[in-house]
Amino acid sequence: MPIILIGNSFKYEIEATLKLFFNTARYSFSNDRNDAVGNDYVIAEVNGDTISAEVKLGSEAPVKSELITDESQDKEHEMCRLIYHILSEKTGITPPWGLMTGIRPVKKVIELIRQELPKEKIFSSLRDKYEVTDKKLQLAYDTAVNQLPILDRIDSSAVSLYVSIPFCPTRCSYCSFVSHSMDSAIKLMPEYISALCRELEIIGRIVRETDTKIDTIYFGGGTPTSVSAQELRTIMEAVEKNFDLDKVREYSVEAGRPDTITEEKLRVIKELGAERISVNPQTLNDDVLKVIGRKHTGADAVKAFELARKIGFKNINTDLIAGLPTESADSLRNTLDKMIELDPESITVHTLTIKRSANLFESGSAYIDNPAAEMVDYSIPALMSHGYLPYYMYRQKNTVDNLENVGYAKKGFESYYNIFIMDETQTILGAGCAASTKLVYPDGKIQRIHNYKFPYEYIRSFDKLMDKKEEVTECLKKIKSVQPK
């Protein structure tokens, strides 16, 4: 769909607004009105204090315009509002989060709570500006209330460590993460693990030299348990050797896919200090598991969970996805009810997101009209009535029905790492292929350092990548310099 920008450069937000209605469409941008051709296009024009939007869908091209007389009004936001209203009227779609794109809803609510605004004022403020439904405002508010006590105890002088093991047995059709199948990566594995352990050693030295405390550790991927038990031991021993684990508040390993979980791997994880794991079936429906490319059954997921309990894990998370292709609302309800019965400490409910890097993207239109909203609507009261409270939330582009991803936990089992990565108030040091380091400076500035996405790049250019660690040292020194003696 052509998007014509006249007198403005509002590309990002306009595209994000359009994706609320057409989340798998592709867009082109131009500043030439002559490019507004075909059955579908958007013209967004700023002319002095007047903004106007023309949206053609099929044979009609309605236009809305507005005179901006208040200097506090954001022309970009108001332009998106015009487009939003045209599309809502034209399509009959009312996105539950309204105009809220590119914004962490909970963070916005927390800002208003800290201004000591009453709940009613918070709701009216966000409703007026973003046109969010009360149902979603309540979910964001509940999440913020549960998150605040943890944020109030954050140690901004400490850092978290993320360890990337970006491999999976197979690639799920919905997956957009940088992950590699074990079949293609097996030859690189020894070199990859050697490089990862070297990076952990370098980061560990920086942490010791700057007298920095590690607050949380998180093994993610991919699926960390895709590697062998001995390979997992090697990596976790490198963490144990190079970091002081005595003061770590939370150590998590995403065991992830049930077809990678064995008793030997779970014993390695427990022996080497991780107390929180994830067992992520996404669904217990065997037919859906086949459709998305999983090589395990629902029964396998239950067995993996029970095995983790037998070995002694007392903090287990499970992930589910609402809106998977061919899954019905009843099927998701059955999965959720079964997971609640298993009694994990936390359950995360994601909504299917169709990203360009996922295999589903090319056929995304086939999955838009699905019961994801019904599934999510069921999950909220079902989980909360069993003592699971929402504690972190994030939203992504191209999510079915413009919904959200929410982590629910029993009191005292909220994941610090999940909260910190959303709130962006603590530095996170990333190690491994496709990992990202997020440096949070004392003045609030955030700088990101991205490791190479592919294992062969990570291995081949390792020394060049390690040169960037000087920036980590400088950031940690600045953090330390502002701490009270």
Side-chain angles (χ1 to χ4, degrees), residues 291-350:
V291 168
I292 65 175
R294 290 270 183 139
K295 303 299 183 183
H296 66 82
T297 65
D300 292 334
V302 173
K303 288 177 184 175
F305 184 94
E306 291 173 342
L307 178 61
R309 278 284 192 246
K310 172 188 166 186
I311 288 172
F313 284 96
K314 298 179 181 179
N315 190 353
I316 304 178
N317 173 75
T318 62
D319 280 9
L320 306 177
I321 298 179
L324 287 171
T326 75
E327 180 131 73
S328 68
D330 283 343
S331 171
L332 191 281
R333 281 196 289 268
N334 291 337
T335 289
L336 184 62
D337 291 347
K338 178 61 178 177
M339 296 315 299
I340 291 173
E341 185 181 319
L342 287 173
D343 200 30
E345 282 62 47
S346 57
I347 298 176
T348 305
V349 179
H350 299 274

Side-chain angles (χ1 to χ4, degrees), residues 106 109-110 113 136-149 384 389-394 405-408 419:
V106 176
V109 172
I110 285 174
I113 289 176
K136 295 305 178 187
L137 287 173
Q138 185 64 54
L139 179 61
Y141 185 84
D142 289 341
T143 306
V145 168
N146 293 321
Q147 197 175 105
L148 267 169
M384 293 182 73
L389 302 178
Y391 76 94
Y392 91 104
M393 175 195 298
Y394 67 100
N405 308 294
V406 182
Y408 297 83
I419 292 175

Side-chain angles (χ1 to χ4, degrees), residues 4-46:
I4 316 304
L5 305 177
I6 308 295
N8 69 88
S9 56
F10 300 159
K11 174 181 175 180
Y12 176 84
E13 284 300 330
I14 288 177
E15 181 177 7
T17 301
L18 288 167
K19 283 182 176 293
L20 294 174
F21 299 87
F22 314 110
N23 62 2
T24 59
R26 297 181 185 274
Y27 302 96
S28 62
F29 292 86
S30 167
N31 302 116
D32 186 347
R33 197 182 296 272
N34 293 323
D35 291 332
V37 295
N39 291 327
D40 306 304
Y41 62 76
V42 175
I43 300 176
E45 182 172 3
V46 176

Side-chain angles (χ1 to χ4, degrees), residues 142-184:
D142 289 341
T143 306
V145 168
N146 293 321
Q147 197 175 105
L148 267 169
I150 295 172
L151 290 176
D152 288 342
R153 298 195 303 272
I154 192 171
D155 183 351
S156 58
S157 68
V159 301
S160 289
L161 174 68
Y162 177 82
V163 181
S164 174
I165 305 180
F167 307 104
C168 285
T170 57
R171 187 178 178 88
C172 298
S173 61
Y174 59 80
C175 184
S176 62
F177 286 96
V178 179
S179 57
H180 311 275
S181 72
M182 291 300 292
D183 288 342
S184 63

Side-chain angles (χ1 to χ4, degrees), residues 136-304:
K136 295 305 178 187
L137 287 173
Q138 185 64 54
L139 179 61
Y141 185 84
D142 289 341
T143 306
V145 168
N146 293 321
Q147 197 175 105
L148 267 169
I150 295 172
L151 290 176
D152 288 342
R153 298 195 303 272
I154 192 171
D155 183 351
S156 58
S157 68
V159 301
S160 289
L161 174 68
Y162 177 82
V163 181
S164 174
I165 305 180
F167 307 104
C168 285
T170 57
R171 187 178 178 88
C172 298
S173 61
Y174 59 80
C175 184
S176 62
F177 286 96
V178 179
S179 57
H180 311 275
S181 72
M182 291 300 292
D183 288 342
S184 63
I186 196 73
K187 293 180 181 178
L188 291 172
M189 195 60 67
E191 284 184 279
Y192 177 75
I193 291 175
S194 176
L196 174 58
C197 290
R198 284 170 60 202
E199 184 174 12
L200 288 168
E201 182 180 352
I202 291 167
I203 295 173
R205 185 175 66 246
I206 293 171
V207 166
R208 288 193 301 277
E209 288 175 352
T210 56
D211 192 26
T212 299
K213 183 178 78 173
I214 296 291
D215 199 5
T216 75
I217 300 173
Y218 194 99
F219 272 58
T223 305
T225 44
S226 293
V227 301
S228 70
Q230 183 54 52
E231 289 165 336
L232 187 60
R233 176 179 290 277
T234 298
I235 299 167
M236 293 189 73
E237 284 180 344
V239 171
E240 183 182 51
K241 177 182 177 182
N242 291 291
F243 301 92
D244 181 2
L245 303 186
D246 289 343
K247 295 180 180 177
V248 171
R249 286 197 288 176
E250 177 182 278
Y251 192 163
S252 303
V253 173
E254 276 201 25
R257 285 175 52 155
D259 50 338
T260 68
I261 296 173
T262 66
E263 181 170 347
E264 187 180 7
K265 292 176 189 178
L266 290 175
R267 292 195 183 281
V268 167
I269 292 169
K270 196 163 194 309
E271 175 192 338
L272 289 166
E275 297 179 341
R276 181 181 183 274
I277 64 168
S278 286
V279 179
N280 302 333
Q282 314 303 7
T283 177
L284 296 180
N285 185 314
D286 291 348
D287 292 335
V288 178
L289 287 168
K290 288 178 185 177
V291 168
I292 65 175
R294 290 270 183 139
K295 303 299 183 183
H296 66 82
T297 65
D300 292 334
V302 173
K303 288 177 184 175

